[in-house]
Amino acid sequence: SIRIENFTDHKNNTDDPMNTALVLTTCVTPNKKFITRNDSDDAEKEIEKEIKERVNLYKNVIDKYLDRTKLNIHIIESSGSNVLKNIYKYNNRIKYHTFKLDNPIFFYNIHNESTTAYEAYSILQAYNNFNLSKYGKILKITGRYFIPNIENIINSFQENADIYVQNTVYHDSL
């Protein structure tokens, strides 16, 4: 037999009219092993360039969400950087939390180059630090992607579903 687990009561426990937390996961200062090439002549310069490009990309995406939606944005940043926090410190639609992934116990048995586990840990950090349990819906999007019709997608969610998973890629090219 199939058992359906209900994770939420779908009540509106927040003043957000869409009762939805939009969570953007970001990593401004990536781990060096993910971005340095073996043939690099100047690894530090390469990292500095990567950080600048990431900040510009994230800012572009965040600005689009601010300009084209009414959603509040919860930014979870996993490298300990406050660059985006400082950019948006006066914007009351932005909630920001950063942490640094310095050998947390969560990763003690992960020995691969995948960022999937880091993304999962970021979601846990967001859930705890933004008190996301008060929302009827939580929508997590990688901070590099802008979804142009995000509010229509949220409005199409059925109230009785607890989890939606993206299985195709439809995002605005930046």
Side-chain angles (χ1 to χ4, degrees):
S1 88
I2 296 175
R3 182 171 171 220
I4 297 175
E5 181 70 40
N6 291 318
F7 295 101
T8 60
D9 59 11
H10 300 288
K11 291 182 183 173
N12 192 343
N13 298 317
T14 175
D15 58 359
D16 185 323
M18 297 189 91
N19 193 25
T20 302
L22 176 61
V23 178
L24 299 181
T25 54
T26 63
C27 181
V28 170
T29 310
N31 189 324
K32 289 181 187 181
K33 69 180 178 184
F34 287 119
I35 63 167
T36 55
R37 295 186 309 264
N38 293 335
D39 61 345
S40 176
D41 292 332
D42 189 346
E44 291 303 315
K45 189 173 184 177
E46 189 177 322
I47 291 169
E48 187 178 307
K49 179 182 174 198
E50 175 74 15
I51 291 170
K52 185 176 181 178
E53 288 173 359
R54 283 174 179 249
V55 168
N56 288 335
L57 176 63
Y58 291 140
K59 185 179 179 314
N60 186 4
V61 169
I62 293 165
D63 288 348
K64 284 184 178 184
Y65 281 115
L66 290 170
D67 291 343
R68 299 182 191 180
T69 74
K70 295 176 183 169
L71 295 166
N72 291 325
I73 303 166
H74 301 77
I75 301 171
I76 190 75
E77 200 284 327
S78 62
S79 69
S81 172
N82 281 310
V83 173
L84 293 171
K85 179 180 182 178
N86 293 334
I87 291 171
Y88 295 103
K89 64 184 172 187
Y90 299 113
N91 191 311
N92 62 358
R93 288 179 50 206
I94 299 284
K95 311 291 186 260
Y96 189 89
H97 178 75
T98 189
F99 65 97
K100 192 162 180 147
L101 287 170
D102 279 346
N103 299 320
I105 195 163
F106 185 76
F107 302 106
Y108 75 94
N109 65 347
I110 297 173
H111 304 290
N112 62 48
E113 301 297 311
S114 173
T115 58
T116 302
Y118 299 105
E119 196 80 4
Y121 191 74
S122 291
I123 294 167
L124 291 172
Q125 286 286 317
Y127 190 82
N128 290 327
N129 287 284
F130 296 132
N131 189 23
L132 297 182
S133 63
K134 67 184 177 182
Y135 291 93
K137 301 172 206 135
I138 302 167
L139 186 59
K140 180 269 179 207
I141 300 173
T142 301
R144 294 184 302 255
Y145 300 137
F146 174 72
I147 314 295
N149 60 338
I150 191 71
E151 289 176 319
N152 291 336
I153 292 169
I154 292 169
N155 288 331
S156 72
F157 287 161
Q158 298 174 8
E159 287 299 320
N160 60 352
D162 285 307
I163 297 173
Y164 284 87
V165 178
Q166 175 186 352
N167 63 0
T168 54
V169 177
Y170 297 108
H171 55 77
D172 205 9
S173 59
L174 298 174

